[in-house]
Amino acid sequence: MLCATRYAIPKLHRFLLPSSNLLAFMPYTNRTRLCLLHSQPLPSRDAYKFDNVEDVVALFNCMVDMHPQPLIVELTKILGTVVKMKYYATAIYLYTQMESKGILPFSVTLNVLINCYGHAGQMGFALSVMSKFVKWGFKPSVVTFTTIMKGLCLNGKILDALDIYDKIVAKGFWFDEVIYGTLINGLCKSGKTRVALQRLWKMEDGLLDDALDLYFNMLDRGISPDVVTYTSLIYGFCHVGQWKEARLLLNEIVVKDIGLDVYTFNIIIDALCKEKMLLQAHILCDVMILRG
DNA sequence: GTAGGGTTAG
């Protein structure tokens, strides 16, 4: 079941305690170590190759059984760790365990849970967690709505995501680049790049002319599209073969000195390869290598 | 100092 080992502990701690948050964990580390060591037989040599997720699960299980109960903030951090490893179903399971032991979530925990359900293709549950917010006396935040929006996009319900966007506006939350990024990506993914631009433009109360005008307009409003937003749009244009627009956007990134990252490069190289433009793809590959 | 946005291939 679990392959917690004597050798796994230091590694586990390094993994879970990357920052100055060390102090918050200190009361639990020794107990955790004892728990892990006593619940499992000593490992064979092969046990060095353990799965990190299982270690995280082991830690979570230990903590959930502790008295006094650990802080929900700490449990939420561990859940977040599992999510970052993309083990969504596992995180959902852990949450269920936690709740069944009478440990109450707080707003961030619920946001994490919603994210998990979205990725697991269970938007029905994600939405019912929304109602739990009220039940537990918390208010859904802009993060909650953005997470729901992302989940809807992931599950092919782009129109519902746009409705959520309207709710964000109605709630009076101010826009930020993450909301834009989520929505733009969702729209571009569903092959509706034009709609994405129109929608963006509408957000900014302007007229749709072309992508360049749009970005200058956004800048004027104090919201600068970042590399994620650009990358999503480039993905959309590449996918419909509109190289001119893609190139224009790429040019903007360079002009604005926004760092291209591995996502951007991969998207463009992938598109070039699919268009059999291998020479250009190769050049970009070299650029990537040059930039380390 | 806890939560939300971007890719491909196999």
Side-chain angles (χ1 to χ4, degrees):
Chain A
M1 192 175 77
L2 304 173
C3 43
T5 75
R6 176 204 303 268
Y7 308 98
I9 309 304
K11 189 167 181 177
L12 181 62
H13 285 167
R14 202 165 56 236
F15 188 63
L16 286 168
L17 309 170
S19 62
S20 56
N21 202 33
L22 191 79
L23 273 179
F25 254 104
M26 284 310 275
Y28 303 119
T29 47
N30 281 336
R31 303 181 67 164
T32 304
R33 180 178 291 127
L34 277 173
C35 184
L36 289 172
L37 283 178
H38 285 294
S39 60
Q40 292 297 317
L42 282 174
S44 66
R45 276 276 167 198
D46 298 308
Y48 282 101
K49 288 187 179 177
F50 51 80
D51 186 11
N52 272 327
V53 183
E54 290 178 343
D55 287 335
V56 183
V57 169
L59 177 60
F60 192 91
N61 284 335
C62 287
M63 287 180 71
V64 158
D65 285 329
M66 282 175 182
H67 298 284
Q69 283 178 338
L71 296 174
I72 181 62
V73 172
E74 303 306 331
L75 289 173
T76 302
K77 284 179 198 168
I78 301 180
L79 277 183
T81 305
V82 177
V83 169
K84 286 217 167 65
M85 299 163 95
K86 299 189 197 298
Y87 284 84
Y88 303 108
T90 307
I92 292 169
Y93 171 75
L94 291 178
Y95 174 85
T96 317
Q97 291 289 101
M98 185 193 90
E99 213 191 77
S100 73
K101 305 221 172 179
I103 302 176
L104 299 184
F106 78 121
S107 53
V108 173
T109 325
L110 296 178
N111 285 340
V112 172
L113 188 61
I114 288 175
N115 191 21
C116 289
Y117 279 128
H119 279 275
Q122 297 177 299
M123 279 315 289
F125 288 115
L127 291 167
S128 70
V129 175
M130 275 275 275
S131 54
K132 274 196 176 182
F133 264 87
V134 184
K135 185 176 152 193
W136 296 116
F138 302 114
K139 262 184 19 192
S141 68
V142 65
V143 173
T144 316
F145 284 111
T146 310
T147 311
I148 290 276
M149 232 167 66
K150 165 78 186 304
L152 290 168
C153 290
L154 276 177
N155 291 281
K157 298 184 171 173
I158 187 73
L159 292 179
D160 291 343
L162 287 171
D163 285 343
I164 296 290
Y165 169 79
D166 292 334
K167 273 193 183 128
I168 294 177
V169 176
K171 289 256 178 192
F173 292 120
W174 191 240
F175 311 118
D176 67 9
E177 67 279 11
V178 180
I179 300 173
Y180 277 118
T182 308
L183 202 49
I184 288 173
N185 185 257
L187 289 165
C188 288
K189 273 273 180 55
S190 44
K192 294 171 183 163
T193 311
R194 218 66 212 170
V195 181
L197 285 174
Q198 279 167 2
R199 182 81 196 188
L200 238 181
W201 189 262
K202 218 167 125 191
M203 288 172 186
E204 300 302 317
D205 282 322
L207 293 167
L208 176 63
D209 189 8
D210 58 32
L212 274 180
D213 282 346
L214 174 69
Y215 296 118
F216 284 124
N217 193 294
M218 281 184 78
L219 267 183
D220 290 342
R221 305 255 169 179
I223 306 170
S224 331
D226 59 12
V227 65
V228 176
T229 307
Y230 277 116
T231 302
S232 295
L233 285 168
I234 288 174
Y235 172 89
F237 278 121
C238 283
H239 252 240
V240 292
Q242 297 192 29
W243 296 101
K244 203 175 151 190
E245 286 85 352
R247 189 185 293 265
L248 222 57
L249 290 165
L250 186 61
N251 203 44
E252 278 296 307
I253 299 185
V254 176
V255 168
K256 290 182 180 170
D257 202 25
I258 297 173
L260 290 175
D261 62 13
V262 65
Y263 281 83
T264 325
F265 275 109
N266 282 349
I267 285 168
I268 299 170
I269 291 173
D270 173 60
L272 287 170
C273 287
K274 282 172 180 157
E275 292 292 317
K276 300 196 175 22
M277 300 160 85
L278 292 182
L279 186 65
Q280 289 91 331
H282 214 285
I283 291 170
L284 272 183
C285 234
D286 290 339
V287 174
M288 271 182 97
I289 293 164
L290 276 173
R291 295 195 184 182

